[in-house]
Amino acid sequence: MSQVEKKAGLLRRTSSSKKPLKEKVVLMYDEIFAKEDPAKNNPRFWDELFLMKVNLEYLESKLESVDGEEVQRIQDNINSLFHHCVQALGEEHQIKVVNALQTLCALFRGVHQKNKSASGFDIINMLMGFDKAEQRMKDLMERLDGLLCGDSSESLKSLCLKLLLCLVTVTDNISQNTILEYVMINSIFEAILQILSDVSSRGQHGYDAVVLLALLVNYRKYESVNPYIVKLSIVDDEPTLDNNEYMVGSMFIADVDEKLSVQTNEAILLALYEAVHLNRNFITVLAQSHPEIDIPVTPTTPTPTTPTTPLGTTPPSLDMMNNPELPLDPNLQTSNLLITFLKYASIVMQDTKDEHRLNSARLCLIILTCIAEDQYADAFLHDDNMNFRVNLHRMPMRHRKKAVDKNIPSRPLVCAVLDLMVEFIVTHMMKDFPMDLYLRCVQIIHKLLCYQKKCRIRLHYTWRELWSGKVHPNVCLLLQVVNLFNMFITYGDTFLPTSNSYDELYYEIVRMHQVFDNLYCMVLRVSTNTGQWKEAASKVTHALVNVRAIINHFNPKIESYAAVNHISQLSEEQVLEVVRSNYDTLTLKLQDGLDQFERYSEQPKEAAFFKELVRSISLNVRKNVSLNTLSQDVLLKEFSTIS
């Protein structure tokens, strides 16, 4: 008895001396893997096959077990099986459609597992025959499109999406999956959009549809024209965008409310990033308010179409998604996707030691970078007529009390973004320093300041928390941080809320003068030596000119004030008095380019990150699709109409 027969396909042993009996479907699979055409002696072979309950394990194992010579021998039969699967998708008999979809899943998985080292063309040839592949895939995609957009049952639509996710993720690197060329040519973008646009179908299939779209957008995105990117970038149907926003936002809420040690949801983050990055129209729906309500983590009405997902990737409540209108109670706190996203990010960014959390934190900051560069988003973030209470999660620290929810002020949303950035800067001074994330936080703050300077927006924000934050002694980071101070020094009169804010800035610079003195000595030393940081250190030395001028101007006057008044240690108010009375004699140099920044570009700087991120998501999706194939017993019970 073969190893395959030991694994699957056996019903029982009749006695110790007899061979085990095989299921009829297993016997039919064996005929397909024989040299002869299985329909030669049984014209009804294919009709009968798709009425049989699929044995996924046996079929996949059989495909994996064939060697090189056997592949050539049985290729015609495998091609015929693929062809008849596609044909069966058009049958009125729902059992045949279900079995055909599951058989196709087994075919895609089995052939790829066996031929990991084979070229994409060889795999296409084995599955459907290279000369017929274009027509076969056209037929398959049209049938799937029809099932997704038609009045098929929710179980069938879910299985169609499972099949597509299986097809997209059979290779570790989706860009090496040659079969996806046919999915590009025969686009199902409109079908995915239709699912996301409909309240009912979005509740049932939104998670799979969003993940599928995010993966398809990333197929060879840097190498050729990807039609899914093109189509996503030009969607301007506001109800569709709004529905997508609410669906994605609901998933984040479910994650946030699950527990504080929430696990990451890279697939949904990637989908949100692609929408924000590719579609300028999507920014407009970020600002749309809806009442903030708790969304249950698990669906209240379980159905066979709901995927069992890992912790932190739970789809939204079906009851919630089936509500086309939300209660407009004026006593309820309003929310929107940005608030939901900021809350989610505040949890994810607390602990970046785990690789997945680090990736999610980086992706959160990339999304915020795109938002901070967008004029419409900036206008909304800074709108003084649109105030929100945003309860960000803050890392427990000994020197500060936990904020009480009711004490959170209602402010423009940019304050919450700044709070999130400052919180990360203050709480991540660790040995294994997350330099990349720290830089991104500083850059986001800088971009927001540039907008405030340009539009002369005087934001009522407590900047002292930022000014008093510690800095890691990395030369590239130091330049960014010093230039943030230079922005406040040079242009603060255009956006700081009061003259007192300006006084407090100078107070913090003087108070921390030892830090700046040490910093100057360090970069001066590096700039006079030969090495890779020489040029960067020289830039920091130049950038420190005004900070050092402030220190050198006010320190002697503070010391003189203390000596004249016989005070050993001045209070904050006394130092501020010295600062206020000595502005006139301070001379500063005008520095150019402080209000300029390099705009975000995914290619080439972020390409490697997204390539690895998509690989990680693809592997996770593949594992879940294989583990969570729809229960055959449930499907057979639902669709069985035969006696």
Side-chain angles (χ1 to χ4, degrees), residues 429-431 433-440 442-443 470-483 515 518-519 522-523 526 532-534 536-541 544:
M429 289 302 298
M430 56 190 69
K431 186 176 180 181
F433 190 70
M435 181 64 64
D436 174 67
L437 303 188
Y438 212 100
L439 270 168
R440 292 178 193 274
V442 174
Q443 289 166 355
K470 295 181 180 178
V471 183
H472 189 276
N474 172 276
V475 176
C476 292
L477 176 60
L478 288 173
L479 180 60
Q480 299 261 6
V481 171
V482 171
N483 277 335
V515 173
N518 293 339
L519 169 60
M522 184 194 80
V523 293
V526 175
Q532 68 177 108
W533 303 113
K534 178 180 173 67
S538 296
K539 290 181 179 178
V540 178
T541 306
L544 279 167

Side-chain angles (χ1 to χ4, degrees), residues 55-98:
N55 189 321
L56 289 166
E57 186 180 3
Y58 186 84
L59 180 54
E60 283 188 50
S61 299
K62 197 77 174 173
L63 285 162
E64 290 176 36
S65 68
V66 294
D67 60 29
E69 289 185 4
E70 284 182 293
V71 169
Q72 297 296 322
R73 181 169 54 82
I74 65 169
Q75 182 176 311
D76 287 345
N77 287 354
I78 300 297
N79 291 172
S80 190
L81 174 59
F82 188 94
H83 170 61
H84 283 93
C85 282
V86 176
Q87 293 297 105
L89 296 183
E91 293 273 0
E92 290 186 11
H93 205 311
Q94 301 290 275
I95 285 289
K96 288 186 176 182
V97 180
V98 169

Side-chain angles (χ1 to χ4, degrees), residues 396-432:
M397 298 180 76
R398 290 180 183 178
H399 67 276
R400 68 181 184 191
K401 294 180 180 180
K402 185 177 179 181
V404 181
D405 293 2
K406 63 182 180 181
N407 292 334
I408 297 172
S410 185
R411 304 174 296 171
L413 205 47
V414 68
C415 295
V417 178
L418 290 167
D419 283 348
L420 182 61
M421 299 301 99
V422 172
E423 174 71 9
F424 185 87
I425 289 170
V426 169
T427 60
H428 284 76
M429 289 302 298
M430 56 190 69
K431 186 176 180 181
D432 186 16

